[in-house]
Amino acid sequence: MTNLLTVKDLTMRFGGLLAVNGVNLEVGEKQIVSVIGPNGAGKTTVFNCVSGFYIPTAGSVMFQGKEMRGKPGFKIAQEGMVRTFQNVRLFKEMTVIENLLVAQHMHAEHNLLKGFFMTSDFKKKEQELMDRAAYWLEKVGLLDFANREAGNLAYGQQRRLEIARCMVTEPKLLMLDEPAAGLNPNETKDLDELIVHLKDEQGISILLIEHDMGLVMGISDQIYVVNQGEPLASGTPAEIQANPEVIKAYLGEE
Amino acid sequence: MQSRFSSAALAAGVTLILGFMVLGISFSVEGVVPTLEVSESHKIIGLLIGAGLVFLLQYFRAEVSKVTAKMKGDGQAHELPSFMRTEKQQRVLAFWAVGALLLFPFLSSRGAVDIATLTLIYVMLGLGLNVVVGLAGLLDLGYVGFYAVGAYSYALLNLYFDMSFWMALPIAGGLAALFGYLLGFPVLRLRGDYLAIVTLGFGEIIRILLNNWTELTGGPNGIARIPKPTLFGLEFNRRPSEEGATTFHDFFGISYSSEYKVIFLYLMALLLVLLTIYVIRRLVRMPIGRAWEALREDDIACRSLGLNPTNIKLGAFTIGASFAGFAGSFFAARQGFISPESFTFIESAIILAIVVLGGMGSQLGVVLAACAMTILPEMAREFDEYRMLLFGLMMVLMMIWRPQGLLPMKRPHLELKRD
Ligand SMILES: Nc1ncnc2c1ncn2[C@@H]1O[C@H](COP(=O)(O)OP(=O)(O)O)[C@@H](O)[C@H]1O
Ligand SMILES: [Mg+2]
């Protein structure tokens, strides 16, 4: 069985700073894989390289058997690999539902003439986008907020909206950058359930950066630890928790 | 207290010096000797009054800004007045407005109709540029280039291929759009300020090209005798232009009047403007319109969701250019004569001012601003030499009082309807 995502020897250099050095990652179908490590370890940089926001200095990023390195971010997203951001990036002045409509741009009707004359084709397509948006709003519990401005939502709701916005693009791999940061324990529990639901019911894989060890250890199939840009260890949650080096470098600090 | 006085005095002093150089001295040639002399006394008095005003304004700045702050509002988009808030009220209002505009030429003088037609051309240009600047957030300083492409398309197609206005109109729009696409393709990867400079250059290149390619375009002499549009083949001339052509007044068996032509042109411009408004109204409710707004807000998030920013911007650029092309070919038909002089940078600046003045993205605002920008100068003919000065003053005042424009956009939100 081939992996969904295989990252090999990923290296990213910013001038004199080696932010990521030789990181490997493997994500299979229907898996939850986590990347952990202290702040500044280079986790977000790995995400940026994989999702095409940076062009890595070296290494390869294979997604569904295709090389992604050097492709622009929007192409990679179109291939079915979408991400959230450590600092939420919503379209704040647009409504919740509009955020989800924009996200479905690649599924939308692009024929301008059909749009001008509002053909039944066009209306049907738009309705499909609406329906898919409503479906996901319900899943993340935001249906009642559909017509609110996204910027006016509470922080936890914004985080969930960002996940819904990724899901309406119908990805195969969802990459979440610290989705639990700033959430209260209840919200974290909901997030936990949502991620498991995405894997079990929607059949997608999730690549997760997270500091909340309870969450990570509870749901991950595989965990990668990075420290100062270098891969430190990888394995199942049980293996990671028993790894003396990890404990020393990372868990031990807490 | 001391610094308040001295800064006010400084401002007044600077005003005096600059004002004196612009208005206070006049330049004349006596024989072959150029001489400078102090202007007439009323100008000097005006200058002194102006400097006094500046002094007072600066001295009481805190008090003045308290008043202006109220007028400024919260900097956000304003609600429309209460009688035009719902969709239905707007429709009724639009119906009456269009009715009034249709009746207007039959009730007013020839001159007024002529100015109204010119205004409508600027409305169309403003609406087109609004797509690029207001909706897609791309600063285009060379919009007049596409206007020129449209105008020369019709003029040249008619000159060399004897093409009628109605045949040439879509071609002119298409050619302008093609130019927009070809220019945008390499350029839209650039960041905002670079884009502004490249488009500025583009506008100039087009003008210089038209000026120098004498064999094709007639150079600075321009192209004359461009025929007016016809109404289903009926001409508005006194006599048919060629064997077999029919004129409007002959066909209907009425006597000739040059007013028919003016009214016809006005109605055509009105039709083009209404079409433009409809098309843009649809655009903002279509996926591409949503993408423009999203791109203005956060282009990184857009990329992460699979939107190709270059393509989306290119769409805005091309569509905007095509409106300039339509307006240009209509302009050529109305004037009957075009030369590169009609397409200087100042035209781009005026169109941009219309968009900014109206409130970026707002169609109604652009319509109002275009009216203000074309009708006010006509009414203030005697101030002609200071037109640019007034223009600048108006922009500065706008930036102070209503930086968001006259009627900033309140975008229609798509609603999720639940049963
Ligand atoms: N665009 C950039 N330019 C220069 N340095 C960067 C850039 N992005 C990240 N870095 C550096 O790379 C290192 C890793 O950062 P980051 O990937 O954000 O860490 P993490 O997400 O694990 O907290 C940090 O030292 C950061 O300062
Ligand atoms: Mg990070």
Side-chain angles (χ1 to χ4, degrees):
Chain A
M1 193 192 93
T2 61
N3 282 326
L4 191 59
L5 175 73
T6 311
V7 176
K8 274 216 183 80
D9 292 325
L10 190 74
T11 301
M12 184 75 212
R13 183 185 283 281
F14 296 112
L17 176 78
L18 204 53
V20 176
N21 188 11
V23 166
N24 297 305
L25 287 175
E26 285 184 18
V27 183
E29 302 271 354
K30 286 184 79 168
Q31 265 196 339
I32 298 176
V33 175
S34 296
V35 180
I36 61 172
N39 276 327
K43 307 180 296 295
T44 299
T45 306
V46 169
F47 260 37
N48 284 335
C49 290
V50 170
S51 60
F53 282 83
Y54 295 158
I55 298 175
T57 315
S60 91
V61 178
M62 300 291 279
F63 182 65
Q64 295 187 304
K66 279 191 264 180
E67 179 60 73
M68 293 290 130
R69 183 180 163 215
K71 281 198 184 191
F74 70 87
K75 281 244 172 74
I76 294 179
Q78 287 172 359
E79 295 280 344
M81 178 158 46
V82 298
R83 60 167 303 178
T84 63
F85 295 87
Q86 191 167 343
N87 315 308
V88 185
R89 296 195 90 116
L90 293 172
F91 306 119
K92 292 203 171 62
E93 284 174 22
M94 302 179 89
T95 63
V96 168
I97 193 88
E98 283 170 332
N99 267 269
L100 300 189
L101 294 177
V102 168
Q104 298 179 74
H105 194 73
M106 53 179 153
H107 304 306
E109 176 61 68
H110 290 292
N111 187 327
L112 291 181
L113 288 178
K114 284 186 181 172
F116 290 145
F117 297 114
M118 282 193 273
T119 62
S120 55
D121 247 22
F122 176 79
K123 285 188 189 154
K124 199 170 134 247
K125 265 277 175 49
E126 288 285 284
Q127 192 55 47
E128 277 171 28
L129 305 191
M130 276 284 184
D131 292 345
R132 194 181 292 128
Y135 172 85
W136 279 105
L137 283 182
E138 213 207 320
K139 283 270 177 275
V140 300
L142 289 174
L143 199 49
D144 290 336
F145 300 89
N147 299 325
R148 290 265 189 97
E149 256 180 43
N152 293 341
L153 296 182
Y155 182 73
Q157 296 174 323
Q158 295 199 7
R159 289 242 113 143
R160 272 179 288 156
L161 176 57
E162 209 186 13
I163 294 178
R165 198 176 62 174
C166 287
M167 288 313 298
V168 294
T169 69
E170 311 207 303
K172 300 189 186 71
L173 176 66
L174 176 64
M175 303 165 67
L176 303 172
D177 195 345
E178 301 197 17
L183 299 190
N184 64 36
N186 272 333
E187 290 173 325
T188 308
K189 206 175 122 273
D190 289 344
L191 177 70
D192 185 322
E193 282 165 13
L194 177 63
I195 295 176
V196 172
H197 167 87
L198 294 181
K199 179 181 97 158
D200 290 344
E201 311 296 325
Q202 308 287 336
I204 67 164
S205 299
I206 288 113
L207 185 60
L208 179 69
I209 293 177
E210 193 39 70
H211 284 302
D212 186 319
M213 282 307 131
L215 179 68
V216 169
M217 295 302 165
I219 61 175
S220 303
D221 296 305
Q222 187 78 10
I223 297 176
Y224 290 85
V225 187
V226 272
N227 191 23
Q228 299 187 338
E230 314 260 348
L232 187 70
S234 68
T236 61
E239 288 166 2
I240 294 297
Q241 276 166 316
N243 186 321
E245 252 187 290
V246 175
I247 293 168
K248 195 175 112 218
Y250 183 64
L251 297 175
E253 291 173 356
E254 297 201 325
Chain B
M1 225 46 223
Q2 182 58 42
S3 75
R4 188 171 160 178
F5 180 84
S6 58
S7 72
L10 182 69
V14 170
T15 310
L16 261 186
I17 294 170
L18 286 179
F20 187 73
M21 289 198 281
V22 177
L23 298 173
I25 40 185
S26 51
F27 181 79
S28 60
V29 184
E30 279 167 29
V32 284
V33 192
T35 52
L36 279 176
E37 54 194 36
V38 177
S39 312
E40 307 93 338
S41 58
H42 73 267
K43 282 192 179 167
I44 301 295
I45 293 171
L47 203 61
L48 287 173
I49 294 175
L53 265 177
V54 168
F55 178 82
L56 287 177
L57 270 178
Q58 288 298 320
Y59 193 77
F60 295 107
R61 194 170 168 175
E63 287 79 357
V64 171
S65 64
K66 248 184 233 147
V67 179
T68 57
K70 282 202 194 105
M71 295 168 66
K72 200 183 209 163
D74 48 9
Q76 290 293 313
H78 285 236
E79 287 284 352
L80 290 167
S82 59
F83 61 91
M84 50 194 294
R85 219 164 270 166
T86 69
E87 189 97 340
K88 195 169 162 228
Q89 285 168 327
Q90 283 174 12
R91 216 166 276 164
V92 172
L93 221 69
F95 178 81
W96 285 109
V98 171
L101 285 171
L102 281 174
L103 278 182
F104 166 78
F106 301 100
L107 304 174
S108 35
S109 71
R110 200 194 138 131
V113 177
D114 221 28
I115 294 174
T117 311
L118 185 70
T119 307
L120 287 171
I121 294 179
Y122 277 101
V123 169
M124 200 167 157
L125 288 169
L127 290 172
L129 184 61
N130 194 26
V131 171
V132 183
V133 180
L135 297 179
L138 305 165
L139 186 51
D140 181 351
L141 294 180
Y143 195 61
V144 76
F146 304 120
Y147 185 41
V149 167
Y152 271 88
S153 296
Y154 170 47
L156 293 174
L157 284 171
N158 182 267
L159 189 64
Y160 292 108
F161 302 104
D162 215 18
M163 202 178 270
S164 77
F165 173 76
W166 294 106
M167 284 274 284
L169 183 68
I171 300 178
L175 272 177
L178 181 70
F179 269 74
Y181 185 84
L182 292 179
L183 172 70
F185 200 69
V187 157
L188 285 174
R189 282 157 227 275
L190 299 177
R191 244 192 33 227
D193 12 3
Y194 298 107
L195 179 69
I197 291 172
V198 174
T199 51
L200 176 71
F202 167 77
E204 284 300 288
I205 288 171
I206 293 282
R207 189 179 59 80
I208 292 168
L209 194 75
L210 294 172
N211 220 350
N212 291 316
W213 197 349
T214 320
E215 305 93 81
L216 184 75
T217 65
N221 295 333
I223 301 173
R225 293 217 244 164
I226 305 167
K228 300 270 182 292
T230 58
L231 177 67
F232 301 109
L234 299 179
E235 294 179 354
F236 285 87
N237 304 332
R238 186 180 289 272
R239 267 175 265 289
S241 62
E242 55 191 87
E243 205 63 29
T246 324
T247 61
F248 178 77
H249 60 281
D250 279 346
F251 186 83
F252 286 100
I254 44 181
S255 59
Y256 172 77
S257 159
S258 63
E259 279 197 21
Y260 299 146
K261 182 173 70 190
V262 179
I263 293 177
F264 174 63
L265 284 173
Y266 167 86
L267 291 176
M268 252 189 68
L270 186 61
L271 182 75
L272 284 175
V273 164
L274 291 178
L275 267 175
T276 308
I277 291 178
Y278 173 77
V279 166
I280 296 174
R281 253 182 86 87
R282 284 298 313 144
L283 277 174
V284 295
R285 289 165 173 78
M286 277 158 55
I288 191 165
R290 296 195 291 260
W292 287 336
E293 167 153 35
L295 211 56
R296 259 191 1 244
E297 275 206 44
D298 191 336
D299 71 314
I300 291 180
C302 279
R303 278 170 225 268
S304 79
L305 296 164
L307 280 73
N308 179 347
T310 314
N311 273 358
I312 292 163
K313 290 181 195 168
L314 204 53
F317 220 66
T318 312
I319 292 170
S322 73
F323 287 123
F326 292 130
S329 63
F330 179 77
F331 172 77
R334 182 193 101 111
Q335 298 299 95
F337 166 76
I338 53 170
S339 73
E341 226 169 283
S342 309
F343 308 103
T344 50
F345 170 69
I346 194 71
E347 291 292 314
S348 286
I350 289 175
I351 303 165
L352 186 64
I354 287 174
V355 175
V356 175
L357 209 61
M360 306 263 247
S362 149
Q363 297 226 66
L364 186 57
V366 166
V367 172
L368 294 180
C371 294
M373 291 291 293
T374 41
I375 295 172
L376 285 184
E378 289 296 332
M379 281 166 53
R381 280 267 159 159
E382 58 269 38
F383 297 117
D384 207 35
E385 37 181 330
Y386 307 123
R387 227 165 97 176
M388 282 299 133
L389 218 59
L390 287 176
F391 184 60
L393 184 68
M394 192 160 80
M395 292 312 269
V396 170
L397 291 181
M398 278 297 290
M399 288 303 118
I400 294 174
W401 281 324
R402 281 187 78 94
Q404 72 277 41
L406 289 173
L407 265 183
M409 170 165 65
K410 193 102 177 104
R411 198 179 43 85
H413 285 297
L414 270 174
E415 298 236 325
L416 176 67
K417 296 190 180 65
R418 294 164 67 185
D419 28 38

